[in-house]
Amino acid sequence: VSRGASRLAPRGKTGTLGLKVMRLSDQPEYRVAIPAAMSGDYATARSNLEMLISRARSEKDGPSLGQLLQTLGDVEARCGNEELGHKLHMEAVQLDAKSPYPLLRYAQGLLDAFKRADLAKARLADAEAMLNLKTSLAPDELPRTWYQSEFERLRKGLAHLEP
């Protein structure tokens, strides 16, 4: 389930493209979906996340849409729909293809929800490589130090799985 990191305009504010960005924590469906996902009630989580995804698509809210797609991707993986989970994560990655953030979220999901450390390592390497190629970060991007600490936290999680 979502780590809750927000990398673009503060939720509920106008983003860099002048679009309204949904504050997910203020959405009733989100407040139902996350506890449901955490407790294993995947049907409730899915239906609420799908409503929010539909709303984000209609409002052209890319930042929220990416976060929601990845959260639903994790839910799908946890209930055995891995192919759909991968598809949802990849859609989110494509929405923000120049940022390491969705790759990092995908790596976290691969480790936590898909239980695929091998794939998590590959996505982590992709995210790190993307960050290293950037000479500067966009004003709405999280700081390089945040990414580095998240990369390290994920590497520690992966290390715990190795014999």
Side-chain angles (χ1 to χ4, degrees):
V1 181
S2 166
R3 298 258 184 254
S6 167
R7 65 161 217 89
L8 293 169
R11 303 296 183 203
K13 303 282 185 196
T14 302
T16 56
L17 299 177
L19 301 173
K20 180 120 171 99
V21 179
M22 189 183 327
R23 184 174 178 90
L24 292 176
S25 61
D26 289 346
Q27 304 302 312
E29 298 91 345
Y30 192 76
R31 292 194 311 264
V32 169
I34 299 307
M38 297 300 287
S39 69
D41 183 359
Y42 301 126
T44 298
R46 180 185 299 114
S47 66
N48 282 277
L49 289 167
E50 287 173 345
M51 283 188 270
L52 288 166
I53 288 169
S54 177
R55 187 176 314 143
R57 285 188 199 284
S58 70
E59 294 177 7
K60 298 184 180 8
D61 180 354
S64 296
L65 179 58
Q67 183 78 12
L68 293 164
L69 288 167
Q70 292 193 296
T71 302
L72 182 57
D74 290 350
V75 167
E76 294 298 348
R78 283 188 170 95
C79 63
N81 299 326
E82 288 187 15
E83 186 175 331
L84 179 56
H86 287 294
K87 181 180 173 200
L88 291 162
H89 271 282
M90 287 308 302
E91 183 179 349
V93 167
Q94 291 169 358
L95 284 173
D96 199 3
K98 294 183 180 181
S99 171
Y101 181 76
L103 287 168
L104 173 62
R105 270 287 289 120
Y106 193 9
Q108 290 167 332
L110 286 164
L111 181 61
D112 299 337
F114 291 78
K115 306 298 184 200
R116 292 293 309 268
D118 57 328
L119 296 177
K121 285 179 188 178
R123 290 302 73 76
L124 174 59
D126 292 344
E128 288 180 303
M130 181 178 286
L131 183 66
N132 290 335
L133 287 174
K134 290 180 171 257
T135 56
S136 64
L137 297 174
D140 62 351
E141 187 78 61
L142 288 163
R144 190 173 298 274
T145 54
W146 182 87
Y147 281 111
Q148 291 165 337
S149 67
E150 288 298 301
F151 294 159
E152 183 59 29
R153 189 183 61 72
L154 187 54
R155 273 193 294 278
K156 286 179 182 176
L158 287 164
H160 286 285
L161 298 176
E162 294 178 353

